[in-house]
């Protein structure tokens, strides 16, 4: 096993440096595919015998791969934001499945937190690079305790950042908080907030000008 892990490490080093002139694009693709097959073979050796192992399928090469490269290797805030959105969609899909299981069975395990936590990880990286959309998503997660401990003050900080940057969703949400005098999410959380109709009008008008529905 150690020898095979060492082989995988060497193959990964090759795949991580496509700029090197040692291989053309087709040769590099073949090496990456072989490395993936080797990982699968290694996984089979430790796969519990009482369970059926999944069939080996090569991942599609496309936008997701480029996003991961841009987000990780080039620290691109837009790619980090898009990866966060991808994980958020997975979390939302898992949550809908969870609700359906609860309705059908009376109870179920909520396994959405890891997906939300992954989304927050990428949103936070992009937010610290002042990505407006990521600031809003991070605010939404912090206030709604999605994948992280609820921290309303931090959530409001990022909400203001995104609203000031012109994100209509953030402007609308902030305006609604001021109008209602409370912070609330769609899962039942509520907390008192300073009511201010002038601020509510300011932010709601900004959202309307940005054609927020």
């Amino acid at each position: 096993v150690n020898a095979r892990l060492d082989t995988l490490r060497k193959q990964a080093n090759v795949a991580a440096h496509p700029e090197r002139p040692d291989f053309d694009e087709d040769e590099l693709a073949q090496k990456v595919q072989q490395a993936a097959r080797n990982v699968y073979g290694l996984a089979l050796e430790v796969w519990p015998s009482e369970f059926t192992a999944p069939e080996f399928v090569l991942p599609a090469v496309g936008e997701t791969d480029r996003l991961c490269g841009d987000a990780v290797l080039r620290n691109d805030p837009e790619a980090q934001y898009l990866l966060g959105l991808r994980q958020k969609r997975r979390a939302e899909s898992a949550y809908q499945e969870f609700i359906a299981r609860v309705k059908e069975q009376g109870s179920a395990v909520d396994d959405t937190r890891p997906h939300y936590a992954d989304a927050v990880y990428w949103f936070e990286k992009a937010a610290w690079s002042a990505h407006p959309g990521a600031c809003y998503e991070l605010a939404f997660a912090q206030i709604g305790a999605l994948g992280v401990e609820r921290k309303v003050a931090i959530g409001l900080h990022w909400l203001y950042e995104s609203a000031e940057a012109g994100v209509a969703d953030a402007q609308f949400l902030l305006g609604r908080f001021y109008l209602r005098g409370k912070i609330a999410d769609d899962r039942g959380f509520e907390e008192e907030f300073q009511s201010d109709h002038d601020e509510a009008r300011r932010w709601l008008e900004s959202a309307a000008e940005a054609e927020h529905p």
Side-chain angles (χ1 to χ4, degrees):
V1 172
N2 286 338
R4 295 186 66 181
L5 286 172
D6 185 61
T7 299
L8 287 174
R9 179 186 61 78
K10 292 176 181 177
Q11 290 174 329
N13 284 338
V14 171
H17 296 283
E19 72 278 5
R20 289 175 54 187
D22 308 56
F23 310 102
D24 61 28
E25 187 172 333
D26 289 339
E27 289 174 321
L28 185 62
Q30 290 174 7
K31 287 187 175 295
V32 171
Q33 291 176 14
Q34 185 57 53
R37 289 189 178 90
N38 289 343
V39 170
Y40 175 75
L42 191 59
L44 286 182
E45 292 187 12
V46 297
W47 196 268
S49 58
E50 63 269 27
F51 297 108
T52 302
E55 181 183 355
F56 174 75
V57 179
L58 281 171
V61 177
E63 188 63 29
T64 296
D65 303 296
R66 290 193 292 274
L67 275 181
C68 290
D70 288 342
V72 177
L73 300 178
R74 284 170 283 282
N75 202 33
D76 180 355
E78 179 66 13
Q80 292 165 345
Y81 168 66
L82 292 175
L83 278 179
L85 287 180
R86 186 186 70 175
Q87 292 302 114
K88 180 185 176 184
R89 286 193 293 270
R90 288 180 176 175
E92 290 173 338
S93 177
Y95 183 71
Q96 292 305 315
E97 292 175 3
F98 163 69
I99 294 298
R101 290 196 304 271
V102 170
K103 290 180 179 179
E104 181 181 342
Q105 304 170 8
S107 64
V109 176
D110 184 357
D111 55 1
T112 60
R113 187 178 179 85
H115 294 304
Y116 277 121
D118 285 345
V120 169
Y121 173 82
W122 291 113
F123 289 145
E124 188 169 19
K125 276 185 169 295
W128 281 110
S129 295
H131 188 289
C135 290
Y136 169 72
E137 294 293 347
L138 184 56
F140 195 82
Q142 291 282 4
I143 292 172
L146 301 175
V148 291
E149 180 184 350
R150 191 187 314 275
K151 294 183 178 178
V152 174
I154 293 176
L156 287 174
H157 163 77
W158 291 114
L159 190 63
Y160 278 107
E161 289 286 324
S162 54
E164 293 286 0
V167 176
D169 284 339
Q171 294 169 339
F172 175 78
L173 192 59
L174 197 53
R176 190 172 65 176
F177 289 169
Y178 276 117
L179 182 64
R180 296 181 176 179
K182 65 179 180 181
I183 296 169
D185 64 16
D186 57 2
R187 298 191 183 186
F189 169 76
E190 288 189 3
E191 182 173 296
E192 289 187 5
F193 186 69
Q194 179 182 357
S195 178
D196 188 323
H197 285 194
D198 290 336
E199 282 294 288
R201 181 180 296 108
R202 177 168 81 94
W203 289 116
L204 292 174
E205 285 179 352
S206 294
E209 289 172 3
E211 300 183 354
H212 187 281

